Amino acid sequence: MGPVVIKLGSSIVCDDAGHPRSDVLAHVCDEAATLHADGRDVVIVTSGAIARGMGVLGLRMRPRAIDELQAASAVGQGQLYQVYDELLTVRGVATAQVLLTFFDISARTHYLNARQTLQRLLDWRVVPVINENDTTTTDEISFGDNDFLAAQVAILLGAEMLVLLTSTDGLFTADPRLDPSARLVPLVEDFEALGALDIRQTTSTLGSGGMRSKVVAAEMATAAGIPAVVANGRTSGVIAAAVAGERVGTRFPAREAAYSSFKLWLKYAKPAHGTITVDAGAARALRDGGTSLLPVGITAVGGGFDAGDAVDVVHGDEVVGKGISNYAEAELRRVLGLKSRQARDLLPRASEEAIHRDYFVLA
Ligand code: GLU
């Protein structure tokens, strides 16, 4: 069975003055240690480096400039990790600090290396304590508060469950701080239905995520067959309850895993570097027939992609899916709309597929 991935948002890791919330961290580490002692593998994904750095530096307001956020994170990260390390070590659990970037996950070889290292740590019964490497990347600082990172880690390791701990009891029908009639949504089986709710982007002055990024993270995990729970990190016992399947927070049950790990990576982790526009016939064939994309169905290319890059395949205003292009944009431009035999004469390699079906996922 894969690990339980526990993600802690900035607002439950640190208080408004940037001091670690020792009560919260102690109960989370207690629960993590109990799961670990029961034979489960545990991974912690934690935000709060910026918040802790703000505390150390005496900054009252979260900086706006990206370099200041990155520098504040560098100040806070060591102390943040130390708190987990101390709390888990006294509970008999060894930890490892792991700093990942989006690039580590979007480049396939880095992705595989990250997976191998994390798996090795789990085999050694070590609890990885993961944050984004904020010094070199800004994806989660800009938006996400590590929610996407946690979902990616869960997918990477085939997690048993993703538990997203935040400062509210879960997903509400409206912002509970603004609307007293807001109700907790205990179960989300249909992501489309959430469109009717007013899901805000920001929940605290400390982090950058909010409920929106949690819902997207849950959507990513559940599509990979991993159940997700959004719950209040301040409530002790919440992780054990989530793992035991008890009613706690908002539960997003696993959906049938429709994709291989490669396709999940392509769908959720690999950024698109360009666009291939296709005609109606090709869009239908990709959607209904599960076919490869041939030059004959392509009407335009754009964005400056290279061979091997991921590209969005679009028809009109709709994104049909994402795939790895066999050819660079300039190579495909020469063969737009051409039948395979003509296209083959003009393409530098034998394959006439612009995108092979094995390297394509529907949106
Ligand atoms: N990596 C960031 C941190 O640990 C994420 C939180 C944020 O988005 O502010 O502080």
Side-chain angles (χ1 to χ4, degrees):
M1 201 170 3
V4 176
V5 176
I6 305 166
K7 184 258 161 175
L8 293 90
S10 301
S11 61
I12 53 158
V13 170
C14 287
D15 63 18
D16 289 345
H19 298 302
R21 291 186 192 276
S22 34
D23 51 339
V24 172
L25 295 171
H27 94 72
V28 168
C29 289
D30 254 344
E31 293 195 52
T34 304
L35 289 172
H36 189 266
D38 286 348
R40 282 194 161 82
D41 290 327
V42 177
V43 174
I44 291 175
V45 178
T46 184
S47 300
I50 294 172
R52 180 70 199 111
M54 284 165 59
V56 173
L57 295 165
L59 305 176
R60 298 207 65 82
M61 298 283 291
R62 182 177 161 98
R64 281 173 185 269
I66 286 285
D67 61 326
E68 291 179 21
L69 289 166
Q70 292 179 285
S73 175
V75 172
Q77 175 59 31
Q79 294 198 10
L80 176 69
Y81 170 68
Q82 196 183 356
V83 175
Y84 288 99
D85 186 51
E86 282 171 5
L87 287 170
L88 286 165
T89 300
V90 294
R91 289 164 174 80
V93 180
T95 71
Q97 176 177 238
V98 177
L99 298 176
L100 288 176
T101 67
F102 191 61
F103 177 74
D104 296 329
I105 289 169
S106 66
R108 187 78 182 152
T109 43
H110 284 225
Y111 179 88
L112 296 174
N113 282 337
R115 180 161 75 187
Q116 210 159 288
T117 306
L118 289 168
Q119 196 53 60
R120 169 58 56 208
L121 289 168
L122 297 180
D123 291 347
W124 283 347
R125 302 288 292 140
V126 172
V127 170
V129 178
I130 303 176
N131 196 354
E132 185 176 48
N133 187 356
D134 293 331
T135 302
T136 59
T137 44
T138 56
D139 297 289
E140 298 283 341
I141 293 180
S142 312
F143 175 62
D145 196 22
N146 284 349
D147 291 326
F148 302 130
L149 181 67
Q152 285 301 330
V153 167
I155 293 170
L156 187 80
L157 294 170
E160 176 188 353
M161 174 174 278
L162 171 64
V163 183
L164 298 163
L165 296 178
T166 183
S167 50
T168 58
D169 285 340
L171 175 66
F172 283 80
T173 51
D175 188 334
R177 292 165 309 170
L178 305 173
D179 182 348
S181 69
R183 279 173 300 106
L184 179 74
V185 180
L187 185 70
V188 175
E189 282 173 307
D190 175 10
F191 284 88
E192 306 259 303
L194 293 179
L197 303 185
D198 175 20
I199 301 172
R200 297 289 162 109
Q201 221 141 284
T202 47
T203 53
S204 74
T205 49
L206 289 176
S208 60
M211 212 34 90
R212 167 77 51 201
S213 65
K214 281 170 193 61
V215 168
V216 177
E219 193 169 355
M220 288 160 66
T222 55
I226 300 165
V229 172
V230 176
N232 196 331
R234 294 184 182 150
T235 314
S236 79
V238 86
I239 303 168
V243 172
E246 289 165 23
R247 201 180 153 126
V248 63
T250 302
R251 181 173 294 271
F252 301 77
R255 292 177 283 164
E256 208 171 296
Y259 302 110
S260 64
S261 82
F262 173 81
K263 290 206 174 182
L264 284 166
W265 168 80
L266 175 60
K267 189 170 166 77
Y268 293 116
K270 177 92 177 147
H273 286 301
T275 310
I276 295 182
T277 307
V278 298
D279 62 20
R284 204 174 323 111
L286 290 169
R287 282 196 178 113
D288 304 337
T291 57
S292 297
L293 177 63
L294 302 175
V296 67
I298 302 177
T299 58
V301 283
F305 59 87
D306 276 324
D309 279 344
V311 292
D312 283 324
V313 177
V314 300
H315 172 61
D317 296 340
E318 284 175 21
V319 179
V320 180
K322 196 200 285 179
I324 304 282
S325 178
N326 276 331
Y327 292 102
E329 180 179 325
E331 293 166 339
L332 284 182
R333 185 165 290 118
R334 289 204 294 270
V335 297
L336 295 183
L338 295 185
K339 296 239 162 53
S340 292
R341 193 180 312 152
Q342 293 163 289
R344 264 201 301 268
D345 291 341
L346 294 171
L347 286 169
R349 290 179 293 285
S351 137
E352 78 250 46
E353 290 116 356
I355 298 176
H356 190 274
R357 52 185 290 174
D358 291 347
Y359 296 89
F360 178 82
V361 273
L362 290 170

